[in-house]
Amino acid sequence: MLIRNAPDVRSSEVTDERQYLRRREFIRLAAVSPAASTPASGDQSPLQIAKHVVTTDEKVNTFEQITNYNNFYEFGSDKSDPARYAGQLHTSPWTVKIDGHCARPADYHVEDLIKPFELEERIYRHRCVEAWSMVIPWVGIPLASVLRRAEPTSKATFVEFTTLLRPSEMPGQRDPILNWPYTEGLRMDEAMHPLAILAVGIYGKTLLNQNGAPIRLVVPWKYGFKSTKSIVRIRFVDRMPHTAWSDQNPSWYGFYSNVNPDVSPVRWDQSRERRLPGLFATRKTLIFNGYGDQVASMYAGMDLRKNY
Ligand code: MTE
C-alpha cells in the first residue's frame, strides 16, 4: 500500500468452469482421504469440507489470480513478491498463542486449533483498499468458534491479531516500512460475527504461503488489510489495539476500515473498484462490500465518515 505504479496483472486465463471442476475434484479427493493433512510449506493438501457458503453469484477468481497478485509486505511490496519469495517460510510446525482477557489461554499447534471444528468453504468478495477486488473460495472456520473456546472475560472488548516475526525467512521485515510484526484488530462484536473466519485454504486445499499460510483472518466487509496473514497470536484486550497500517499513517488507515464508497481517506478513490483481472475500476463499490444487511447493525449510531 505504499505509493507506486500499479503493476501489471498477470492473468493466465483459466476458465471458470475448469476451476469449478477442479474444486469439485479437490472436494472429491478430500472425501477419499479422511486424514485431513497438515499444512506444509509450498505444498497444498486437500481439505475435508463439511459445508459450502456462497455469498455472491459473481465469477470466482482463478487460483492463478488469487495466488499471484498479493499483498504480504513481509515478502516485499510488489504484488508478485509474495508468490516469488513466500515459499521460503517454514509453516510447520506452527503455534498460535491465544491469551489476554480469557479464562482459557493456550498455545495450540495450528492443527489442534482447527481440529474440533468443521471446515467450511466460504465464497466471499475480497476488497483491497487499493480499490482492486476479487472473489475467493476460502476454506476455514468461524473465528467465533475459536474465540469462544478460550472463554473471553467481560474485559475483552477488542481482539488483536499478530503475524509471525521472522526476518530470516521474511525479508520484508528487514525494512522498517511497517512497525513489525504486522498487527491488526477487531472490536469484540466484529470478531464474533459469523462472517469473520480463520482461513486455512482456498479452492479446497491448504493455503499457499503467499495467501497467509497456515492460518489467516478473513473479514469480508472490511478492506483486506484487516485480514492478518500467518497468525501466531490472538489476544483479547481491553482497548482498541494499535494496528500496523494505522501506526504507519493514522489519517489514512482507520481502525474500522469498513468498505465504504463514500469515504476515501487514502489516495485510492473508493467509490469504484477494479475487479481483477480487469484493468479499469468499472464496478461501483458496495457499502460494507455488499454485506451490509448482515453487518450494518453493528455500526448503528456511529458516524462512518469519522469512524472509517
Ligand atoms: N497480513 C500481513 N501479515 N502482511 C500484509 O502485508 N496485507 C494485507 C492483508 N494481510 C498483509 C496482510 C492486505 S493489504 C491485503 S489486501 C490482504 O492481506 C491480501 O490478501 P491476499 O494476498 O490473500 O489477497
Side-chain angles (χ1 to χ4, degrees):
M1 293 191 297
L2 299 176
I3 296 172
R4 56 171 59 253
N5 295 330
D8 290 334
V9 182
R10 219 191 314 159
S11 63
S12 51
E13 282 292 2
V14 183
T15 67
D16 243 349
E17 290 79 3
R18 213 177 105 197
Q19 283 304 327
Y20 267 102
L21 288 176
R22 262 179 91 186
R23 189 150 60 86
R24 293 296 149 210
E25 178 71 2
F26 291 157
I27 293 161
R28 203 170 53 76
L29 273 174
V32 296
S33 64
S37 0
T38 316
S41 296
D43 190 19
Q44 282 204 290
S45 310
L47 294 161
Q48 239 185 325
I49 296 167
K51 186 173 152 192
H52 300 266
V53 179
V54 180
T55 68
T56 171
D57 54 12
E58 293 159 88
K59 190 171 156 186
V60 178
N61 279 87
T62 64
F63 181 80
E64 204 70 26
Q65 290 156 359
I66 298 166
T67 57
N68 285 286
Y69 191 88
N70 302 102
N71 275 331
F72 201 168
Y73 275 70
E74 284 82 342
F75 297 102
S77 54
D78 265 2
K79 296 292 175 275
S80 57
D81 284 341
R84 199 171 298 154
Y85 302 118
Q88 64 189 292
L89 175 68
H90 289 90
T91 59
S92 182
W94 191 275
T95 307
V96 181
K97 175 183 279 302
I98 302 191
D99 67 343
H101 295 295
C102 62
R104 301 182 57 193
D107 286 355
Y108 291 96
H109 289 298
V110 67
E111 299 82 358
D112 298 331
L113 182 72
I114 61 174
K115 206 186 283 163
F117 311 108
E118 291 191 324
L119 290 180
E120 299 176 20
E121 181 180 66
R122 299 278 187 106
I123 299 186
Y124 280 167
R125 277 186 288 271
H126 180 64
R127 175 62 157 75
C128 181
V129 73
E130 295 161 335
W132 52 264
S133 66
M134 298 199 214
V135 175
I136 301 186
W138 301 107
V139 181
I141 55 174
L143 172 62
S145 308
V146 166
L147 299 185
R148 265 193 218 106
R149 188 169 45 160
E151 296 175 17
T153 67
S154 57
K155 278 191 170 170
T157 47
F158 290 88
V159 187
E160 179 194 65
F161 303 86
T162 307
T163 296
L164 176 73
L165 180 67
R166 192 184 288 161
S168 61
E169 294 181 5
M170 297 174 129
Q173 289 179 339
R174 294 173 218 153
D175 288 329
I177 31 172
L178 287 176
N179 195 2
W180 309 111
Y182 193 102
T183 56
E184 255 306 336
L186 295 173
R187 210 172 58 189
M188 197 63 188
D189 58 333
E190 298 178 315
M192 297 302 282
H193 193 281
L195 281 174
I197 59 168
L198 286 170
V200 295
I202 57 164
Y203 271 115
K205 286 189 149 194
T206 50
L207 288 174
L208 287 181
N209 289 355
Q210 56 263 45
N211 293 107
I215 189 161
R216 57 94 51 90
L217 184 64
V218 177
V219 193
W221 69 96
K222 293 180 180 283
Y223 294 116
F225 67 85
K226 298 298 283 183
S227 293
T228 318
K229 292 180 167 181
S230 305
I231 294 171
V232 292
R233 187 176 186 192
I234 298 175
R235 186 162 71 114
F236 296 101
V237 293
D238 56 13
R239 65 196 64 173
M240 190 180 276
H242 276 266
T243 70
W245 284 107
S246 44
D247 280 358
Q248 199 242 19
N249 194 329
S251 58
W252 281 12
Y253 305 103
F255 179 81
Y256 288 97
S257 301
N258 292 316
V259 175
N260 188 340
D262 303 325
V263 181
S264 301
V266 280
R267 69 172 189 127
W268 298 281
D269 169 17
Q270 299 300 350
S271 65
R272 294 186 167 269
E273 67 189 40
R274 176 167 73 93
R275 174 61 49 84
L276 294 177
L279 296 175
F280 304 104
T282 53
R283 281 177 181 260
K284 279 196 169 164
T285 299
L286 302 171
I287 181 90
F288 298 115
N289 204 22
Y291 299 102
D293 52 345
Q294 293 164 76
V295 303
S297 62
M298 289 193 289
Y299 310 101
M302 276 174 71
D303 181 344
L304 297 178
R305 285 185 177 274
K306 282 195 190 133
N307 297 287
Y308 56 81

